[in-house]
Amino acid sequence: MIDYGLLVSVIVAFAIPAALSTRWRIAGRDEPVSFLDVALGPALAGLGVGRITTLLLDDPNSIGSVSDMLIIRSGVEFWPGVAAALAAAAVSARLASVSVGRRVFDLVPLAMVGYAGFEATCVFRDGCFGPASRIGLRPPGISTTMLPIGWFMAVAIAAAAVGVHALAVRGRSSASVVAVATATVASVRAIGSIWLPHVGDGLTRQHLTSLVVVFAAALAVVVAGAAKRRTVRPH
């Protein structure tokens, strides 16, 4: 059975950055390359690693069961998937004889836009959840109107993507670009998790991991900035 809601979200997540890449070009060895050509492989790698990580954490006995592994809706660990996608993009750049730093500059802000598109299309999946509100949307099967937190997350991440692209254009290091992008997305996910429904009173695993990533990425931003200052310091 085809999950049409998830399919719409995936199409939007790839279509918007693909269209935007006509302006935010992705450098190839000799000429600009297609977003789909360089992003599809890393995206699949990230999806696979994220799904396997979820199964290892929640149900290790499912490893090896193709039917269980393909049920994406039952969970994909976000940050292991992101790490795998970045690693795959770096390998792809090496194989194409393109600077890894250059490929990072080009792909990261576009990937953020794609993720923003995925969050914005929550209405096509299970509905857009959030705190009860007089103004908002009513997810299927729920009688309460909710403020669509996913839409606010999408706007924040899309706006941050513009800033990250500006950092790349200004020649910041690839480490700084990745760290700033990671800290921003992790912060948005952590804040959004406050209002998203979950079982129990404690933090969800996704919320907790996002907080850990926020602090790690913020530290990386500081370290990258210090390294940059040492490099340009006059002797």
Side-chain angles (χ1 to χ4, degrees):
M1 181 177 179
I2 299 176
D3 189 335
Y4 289 103
L6 182 59
L7 180 61
V8 169
S9 293
V10 171
I11 290 173
V12 170
F14 278 95
I16 294 178
L20 183 59
S21 66
T22 59
R23 296 183 62 85
W24 293 0
R25 294 183 178 275
I26 302 173
R29 183 175 181 180
D30 301 313
E31 59 184 15
V33 295
S34 164
F35 172 79
L36 293 179
D37 287 343
V38 298
L40 190 56
L44 291 175
L47 183 63
V49 170
R51 180 60 184 150
I52 291 173
T53 303
T54 295
L55 292 178
L56 286 173
L57 293 172
D58 293 338
D59 188 10
N61 292 329
S62 297
I63 300 295
S65 171
V66 176
S67 59
D68 289 340
M69 295 178 69
L70 291 178
I71 304 176
I72 304 302
R73 278 297 193 101
S74 62
V76 175
E77 290 298 309
F78 184 82
W79 292 111
V82 169
L86 279 173
V91 171
S92 175
R94 290 282 190 185
L95 293 175
S97 301
V98 175
S99 164
V100 173
R102 179 69 263 172
R103 182 56 54 83
V104 167
F105 285 154
D106 295 339
L107 273 185
V108 167
L110 289 170
M112 292 174 70
V113 171
Y115 176 55
F118 184 86
E119 288 290 351
T121 53
C122 55
V123 67
F124 293 106
R125 298 191 302 275
D126 295 325
C128 299
F129 295 93
S133 174
R134 293 182 178 180
I135 301 175
L137 302 175
R138 186 173 299 172
I142 296 179
S143 60
T144 304
T145 300
M146 296 182 171
L147 202 64
I149 292 300
W151 287 6
F152 290 93
M153 293 173 64
V155 170
I157 293 170
V162 176
V164 170
H165 181 259
L167 288 178
V169 170
R170 292 173 185 173
R172 296 296 180 92
S173 69
S174 56
S176 295
V177 171
V178 172
V180 170
T182 301
T184 302
V185 174
S187 297
V188 172
R189 284 178 60 85
I191 294 171
S193 295
I194 296 172
W195 291 284
L196 293 176
H198 63 277
V199 178
D201 297 327
L203 299 179
T204 63
R205 188 168 70 229
Q206 296 286 2
H207 192 173
L208 182 60
T209 54
S210 289
L211 288 174
V212 171
V213 171
V214 168
F215 289 112
L219 179 61
V221 171
V222 173
V223 171
K228 178 70 174 179
R229 285 193 293 272
R230 286 196 299 269
T231 301
V232 301
R233 183 179 297 171
H235 295 285

